[in-house]
């Protein structure tokens, strides 16, 4: 980075900053403001830079908190920024880089101070800090204007009105970041916040009117995936080299104050953190969108931002029917779909995909109609495949996405028609050619097995099995390895069942009086859970055999090869009914293989199975209700999603650092 710690410490002695945080009121017409906001800086784009900047700002901000009731200088700084935002759009059209640059700097300074204020005071106290203004020499009193509300509205207006260009990239990024900071009171509260002043500002008046435009703009920022422009497009190299007005304004302050923070700016080499985060505006916009969409409903009005997320339509939708939903808009679904496919390595993109699939019927219908679903499904499967490296929430979201997709029969059919070549990330076995459906089955089974040996999470088991169950009636041409893994999973469950049964039996035989005070495991409960899973696996196998036996000779082969696994469950009261069909299939094909002779080759066995599959009368198999599971969000989903979203902001927001001490919403382990 472009600064050392010792240079950062020089900020405390800087005369301009000392004047800003001092007790003396500074008139808004004072040339001081022009000098103060003419520094050379780009917003920090990695947490290490942000941490250094924040540590330097904290003592200054605390002094300002003490002196601002007398000076009103914080309010003056905000008004300096607001005065410039009124002409930003015109400045952009006129390519007035100086004006945009100064507005950005003013906002960056406001945001840095606000971040400390929010940690140090309540929202009511924050409003007071905005309200103090100069009345007469030496005295400041709360003013009548609502400066905080005006700032919130101006930020929203700026984001939706100012076009995204190289010269506006930084100020748009800073506007999005400042809104995130203003909403960050949630981080310091254990309970989900259901109101608050900033919340009310966003849900009323001008902000409410701009809801659909804000959501649309944030989505397009995500879609466009614009990289941060080169530093010289923001630092006006040509003017500086010519000794123009910009250089003259900047030099007085920059040499003593802000050049230590040309983080990622001119003359500095990008560090590793910055290189890993090349899309700051896209990332920050997505985080803000998720925060807004997961705000709770108000006492009288539902969350307008969630409404906008759930009802937007495709630009190709030519329907003239007006939408009954408020805050609706149109967006290019193809572009959004492409961005979602490309960005699934991040938690936040996966959470957006989940949100759209679950809540926006228009987007869900569009995704399921795509003929290139593999572009979306494969990244989701990769998340599950690398379960060891992912946090549990990311895995849950990926799994629920699969469950939602498998609720659709056309999806379950089409995944078996897509043939994939050389899946390099699947390393257990070389897969030179496999259907998307078989790959999905392999990855879900692997996730179940991982969960059985590591996390032992019943919720994960349930959703994995539900996805397989939804697909089972449409299993087609299962890959030999996928069929083997289905039976191998059953073998693993069978072995676990026998082990728990043996442990339960031994515990019952313990002599009276040998209780050493240790609590005995609840073997009955363990046995019940395992038997539920075994029952589900038998139902999945049965569903495939009943509905598409002739399409799946490899499953029949695997079933026959391991037929002894199923014998112990034939007389078990929990499985007798479901075992009837498996017995019928095993008996029918065993008989045909005996008739075909001894010492059959693998190829000959497969030939007998294929012919037998056509010959087996369907009426010999008992009909069971179709397996269908539907994902339903639990009651009060905000208890899960609000902490999750803010943990993503905490960990992934570009250029923002929060000290873990004091974070109340989630534990650091869960973040």
């Amino acid at each position: 980075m472009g600064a050392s710690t010792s240079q950062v410490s020089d900020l405390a002695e800087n005369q301009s900053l000392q004047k800003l945080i001092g007790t003396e009121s500074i008139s808004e017409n004072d040339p001081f403001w022009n000098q103060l906001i003419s520094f050379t800086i780009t917003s920090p784009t990695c947490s290490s830079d942000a941490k250094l900047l924040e540590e330097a700002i904290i003592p200054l901000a605390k002094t300002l908190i003490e002196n601002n009731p007398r000076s009103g200088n914080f309010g003056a700084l905000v008004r300096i920024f607001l005065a410039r935002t009124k002409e930003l759009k015109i400045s952009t059209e006129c390519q007035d880089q100086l004006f945009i640059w100064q507005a950005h700097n003013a906002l960056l300074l406001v945001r840095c101070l606000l971040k400390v204020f929010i940690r140090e005071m309540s929202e009511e106290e924050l409003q007071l800090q905005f309200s103090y203004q100069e009345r007469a020499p030496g005295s400041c009193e709360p003013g009548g204007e609502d400066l905080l509300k005006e700032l919130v509205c101006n930020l929203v207006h700026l984001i939706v009105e100012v076009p995204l260009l190289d010269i506006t990239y930084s100020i748009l990024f800073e506007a999005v970041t400042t809104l995130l900071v203003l909403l960050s009171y949630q981080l310091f509260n254990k309970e989900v916040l259901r109101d608050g002043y900033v919340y009310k500002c966003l849900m009323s008046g001008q902000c409410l009117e701009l809801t659909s435009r804000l959501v649309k703009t944030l989505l397009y920022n995500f879609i466009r995936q614009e990289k941060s422009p080169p530093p010289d497009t923001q630092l006006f190299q040509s003017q500086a080299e010519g000794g123009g007005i910009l250089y003259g304004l900047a030099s007085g302050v920059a040499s003593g104050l802000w050049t230590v923070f040309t983080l990622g700016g001119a003359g500095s080499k990008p560090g590793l953190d910055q290189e890993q985060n090349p899309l700051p505006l896209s990332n920050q916009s997505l985080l803000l969108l998720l925060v807004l969409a997961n705000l709770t409903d108000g006492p009288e009005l539902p969350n307008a931002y969630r409404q906008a997320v759930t009802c937007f339509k495709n630009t190709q939708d030519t329907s003239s029917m007006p939408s009954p939903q408020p805050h609706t808009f149109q967006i290019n679904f193809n572009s959004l779909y492409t961005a979602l496919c490309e960005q699934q390595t991040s938690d936040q993109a996966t959470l957006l995909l989940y949100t759209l699939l679950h809540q926006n019927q228009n987007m869900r219908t569009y995704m399921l109609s795509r003929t290139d679903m593999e572009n979306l499904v494969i990244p989701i499967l990769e998340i599950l495949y690398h379960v060891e490296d992912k946090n549990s929430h990311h895995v849950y979201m990926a799994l629920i996405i699969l469950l939602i997709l498998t609720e659709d029969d056309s999806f379950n059919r089409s995944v078996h028609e897509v043939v994939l070549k050389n899946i390099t990330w699947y390393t257990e076995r070389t897969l030179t050619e496999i259907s998307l459906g078989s790959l999905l089955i392999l990855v879900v089974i692997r996730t179940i097995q991982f969960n059985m040996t590591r996390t032992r999470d019943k919720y994960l088991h349930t959703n994995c099995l539900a996805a397989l169950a939804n697909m089972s009636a449409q299993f087609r041409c299962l890959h030999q390895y996928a069929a083997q893994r289905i039976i191998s999973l059953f073998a693993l469950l069978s072995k676990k069942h026998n082990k728990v049964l043996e442990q339960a039996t031994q515990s019952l035989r313990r002599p009276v009086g040998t209780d050493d005070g240790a609590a005995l495991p609840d073997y009955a409960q363990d046995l019940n859970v395992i038997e539920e899973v075994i029952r589900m696996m038998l139902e999945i196998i049965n569903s495939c055999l009943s509905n598409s036996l002739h399409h799946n000779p490899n499953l029949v082969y695997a079933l026959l090869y391991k037929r002894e696994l199923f014998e112990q469950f034939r007389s078990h009261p929990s499985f007798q009914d479901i075992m009837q069909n498996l017995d019928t299939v095993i008996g029918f094909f065993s008989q045909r293989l005996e008739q075909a002779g001894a010492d059959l080759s693998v190829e000959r066995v497969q030939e007998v199975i294929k012919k037998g599959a056509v010959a087996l009368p369907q009426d010999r198999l008992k009909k069971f209700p179709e397996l269908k599971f539907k994902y339903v969000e639990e009651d009060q989903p905000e208890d899960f999603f609000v902490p999750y979203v803010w943990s993503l902001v905490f960990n992934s927001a570009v250029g923002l650092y929060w000290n873990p001490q004091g974070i109340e919403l989630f534990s650091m382990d869960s973040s």
Side-chain angles (χ1 to χ4, degrees):
M1 65 171 285
S4 68
T5 308
S6 60
Q7 287 174 301
V8 171
S9 64
D10 294 341
L11 287 177
E13 279 74 47
N14 180 267
Q15 291 182 0
S16 296
L17 280 182
Q18 287 301 321
K19 185 172 181 180
L20 173 69
I21 66 175
T23 56
E24 181 186 339
S25 294
I26 307 168
S27 167
E28 290 168 40
N29 299 318
D30 195 306
F32 163 84
W33 297 108
N34 248 350
Q35 185 189 41
L36 181 70
I37 62 174
S38 296
F39 50 82
T40 303
I41 182 174
T42 54
S43 304
T45 55
C46 64
S47 60
S48 56
D49 287 346
K51 183 172 184 281
L52 285 172
L53 181 56
E54 173 136 325
E55 287 171 351
I57 291 290
I58 286 173
L60 303 173
K62 287 183 175 179
T63 302
L64 181 59
I65 291 170
E66 291 177 16
N67 293 334
N68 189 49
R70 282 171 285 173
S71 71
N73 286 341
F74 179 70
L77 174 62
V78 173
R79 281 189 289 274
I80 292 294
F81 165 70
L82 293 176
R84 279 162 171 74
T85 61
K86 292 181 174 68
E87 298 176 41
L88 264 180
K89 196 173 181 184
I90 297 170
S91 301
T92 304
E93 291 167 0
C94 300
Q95 294 283 304
D96 187 345
Q97 298 184 44
L98 171 61
F99 196 91
I100 298 166
W101 178 61
Q102 289 184 321
H104 162 268
N105 292 347
L107 181 55
L108 175 61
L109 197 48
V110 168
R111 189 257 289 176
C112 289
L113 293 168
L114 270 177
K115 194 160 173 300
V116 182
F117 285 9
I118 286 169
R119 181 132 192 177
E120 295 292 320
M121 62 184 72
S122 68
E123 214 171 13
E124 292 75 18
E125 292 168 325
L126 180 68
Q127 283 178 263
L128 278 177
Q129 291 292 337
F130 274 88
S131 68
Y132 296 124
Q133 60 181 321
E134 185 181 11
R135 290 289 185 186
S139 71
C140 276
E141 300 171 13
E145 63 185 332
D146 193 340
L147 205 56
L148 175 53
K149 183 175 184 178
E150 193 177 346
L151 175 63
V152 173
C153 291
N154 266 267
L155 291 172
V156 172
H157 194 263
L158 190 161
I159 293 166
V160 303
E161 287 289 347
V162 176
L164 175 53
L165 306 169
D166 278 0
I167 60 171
T168 61
Y169 190 101
S170 287
I171 193 166
L172 288 169
F173 168 77
E174 203 52 59
V176 171
T177 304
T178 306
L179 279 178
L180 271 178
V181 168
L182 282 166
L183 287 160
S184 67
Y185 270 108
Q186 180 63 78
L187 280 171
F188 309 106
N189 286 272
K190 279 185 179 178
E191 302 300 321
V192 173
L193 298 179
R194 300 183 184 278
D195 55 15
Y197 190 73
V198 175
Y199 174 96
K200 288 173 184 172
C201 291
L202 287 166
M203 295 291 181
S204 63
Q206 186 187 10
C207 290
L208 185 64
E209 293 169 12
L210 294 173
T211 295
S212 58
R213 290 184 64 193
L214 178 59
V215 170
K216 183 176 183 177
T217 302
L218 295 174
L219 275 172
Y220 268 125
N221 286 348
F222 167 69
I223 289 169
R224 289 175 66 172
Q225 300 290 312
E226 291 281 356
K227 293 186 177 181
S228 184
D232 59 358
T233 60
Q234 303 173 63
L235 300 183
F236 327 109
Q237 196 172 29
S238 59
Q239 288 188 348
E241 286 172 351
I245 183 171
L246 184 63
Y247 183 77
L249 277 173
S251 60
V253 180
S255 59
L257 169 59
W258 289 107
T259 45
V260 295
F261 287 120
T262 52
L263 307 176
S268 69
K269 295 180 181 178
L272 282 176
D273 281 348
Q274 189 185 340
E275 289 175 343
Q276 290 166 0
N277 233 322
L279 308 167
L281 180 60
S282 172
N283 181 76
Q284 220 82 327
S285 296
L286 178 52
L287 289 172
L288 178 59
L289 177 64
L290 292 171
V291 167
L292 292 172
N294 285 282
L295 291 173
T296 56
D297 291 333
E300 297 174 6
L301 289 171
N303 178 354
Y305 300 93
R306 186 185 299 122
Q307 284 184 319
V309 166
T310 59
C311 67
F312 64 78
K313 297 180 178 180
N314 194 354
T315 48
Q316 305 300 314
D317 184 357
T318 55
S319 168
S320 57
M321 289 279 291
S323 172
Q325 296 283 348
H327 314 298
T328 190
F329 60 90
Q330 289 186 309
I331 200 166
N332 188 311
F333 276 15
N334 181 56
S335 300
L336 180 54
Y337 178 82
T338 302
L340 286 166
C341 292
E342 291 172 351
Q343 297 298 316
Q344 285 308 305
T345 50
S346 78
D347 279 72
Q348 47 267 41
T350 304
L351 181 53
L352 176 63
L353 174 57
Y354 159 79
T355 303
L356 297 178
L357 265 177
H358 178 54
Q359 298 182 6
N360 189 312
Q361 186 60 47
N362 301 321
M363 192 70 196
R364 180 175 177 172
T365 302
Y366 175 83
M367 288 190 209
L368 288 167
S369 71
R370 294 284 301 208
T371 56
D372 60 348
M373 275 298 287
E374 67 272 18
N375 291 338
L376 188 68
V377 175
I378 290 174
I380 297 300
L381 295 182
E382 284 195 68
I383 294 168
L384 293 175
Y385 185 80
H386 297 109
V387 59
E388 299 96 331
D389 307 320
K390 302 292 182 181
N391 71 66
S392 60
H393 288 5
H394 199 183
V395 173
Y396 284 151
M397 289 298 104
L399 193 52
I400 293 167
I401 286 166
L402 283 187
L403 178 55
I404 293 171
L405 291 172
T406 62
E407 291 171 16
D408 184 78
D409 285 341
S410 63
F411 171 83
N412 295 331
R413 284 191 296 271
S414 65
V415 288
H416 294 288
E417 296 164 5
V418 178
V419 178
L420 307 170
K421 309 267 188 186
N422 299 317
I423 308 301
T424 54
W425 48 265
Y426 193 97
T427 56
E428 272 89 340
R429 177 163 170 161
T430 302
L431 299 175
T432 52
E433 186 172 294
I434 189 170
S435 72
L436 179 60
S438 288
L439 180 64
L440 196 160
I441 292 165
L442 282 175
V443 172
V444 171
I445 286 175
R446 185 179 182 275
T447 307
I448 293 172
Q449 290 180 320
F450 173 83
N451 187 45
M452 284 175 65
T453 56
R454 305 278 187 88
T455 53
R456 305 181 74 179
D457 185 328
K458 187 181 177 183
Y459 180 84
L460 201 68
H461 261 12
T462 303
N463 285 287
C464 284
L465 291 167
L468 289 177
N470 284 345
M471 295 176 67
S472 58
Q474 272 94 27
F475 282 173
R476 294 287 187 277
C477 304
L478 290 184
H479 190 279
Q480 179 185 5
Y481 186 51
Q484 287 173 12
R485 298 310 295 162
I486 290 172
I487 304 303
S488 295
L489 175 59
F490 187 83
L492 186 66
L493 290 165
S494 175
K495 185 177 179 182
K496 195 170 182 64
H497 176 269
N498 294 341
K499 183 179 178 181
V500 174
L501 196 59
E502 185 182 340
Q503 288 172 333
T505 306
Q506 287 176 351
S507 70
L508 292 173
R509 289 176 181 161
R510 294 179 75 188
V512 178
T514 60
D515 186 2
D516 55 7
L520 286 172
D522 190 344
Y523 292 117
Q525 186 179 356
D526 285 354
L527 203 60
N528 186 47
V529 170
I530 293 168
E531 288 183 356
E532 280 180 15
V533 176
I534 288 174
R535 168 88 191 183
M536 191 82 155
M537 281 302 299
L538 288 172
E539 287 180 344
I540 288 166
I541 295 168
N542 175 67
S543 173
C544 175
L545 297 177
S546 301
N547 292 282
S548 53
L549 183 145
H550 58 291
H551 288 300
N552 291 290
N554 285 332
L555 183 63
V556 176
Y557 184 97
L559 191 65
L560 292 171
Y561 190 72
K562 292 284 187 179
R563 70 190 85 174
E564 73 282 354
L565 278 175
F566 299 90
E567 289 176 6
Q568 65 171 308
F569 299 108
R570 187 176 289 122
S571 58
H572 195 293
S574 298
F575 311 122
Q576 276 180 324
D577 59 336
I578 204 77
M579 281 298 301
Q580 288 178 27
N581 283 348
L582 271 74
D583 277 344
T584 300
V585 170
I586 290 170
F588 176 82
F589 283 98
S590 296
Q591 184 180 14
R592 292 185 77 93
L593 288 171
E594 285 173 16
Q595 292 170 353
D599 300 323
L600 301 177
S601 66
V602 172
E603 291 75 16
R604 177 67 181 130
V605 171
Q606 289 174 332
E607 184 185 338
V608 170
I609 289 171
K610 286 178 183 177
K611 288 181 179 178
V614 178
L616 177 65
Q618 283 296 304
D619 58 6
R620 287 186 60 181
L621 298 179
K622 181 183 175 183
K623 289 293 179 187
F624 285 85
E626 187 179 8
L627 295 177
K628 272 297 168 192
F629 293 87
K630 188 175 177 62
Y631 169 72
V632 179
E633 265 187 0
E634 294 184 10
D635 292 338
Q636 296 183 304
E638 64 273 12
D639 290 343
F640 171 83
F641 285 103
V642 171
Y644 180 33
V645 169
W646 276 104
S647 73
L648 297 181
V649 176
F650 179 85
N651 287 310
S652 309
V654 179
L656 282 176
Y657 166 81
W658 281 277
N659 188 326
Q661 294 180 344
I663 301 296
E664 295 284 344
L665 183 61
F666 48 79
S667 67
M668 288 301 109
D669 291 338
S670 67
S671 72

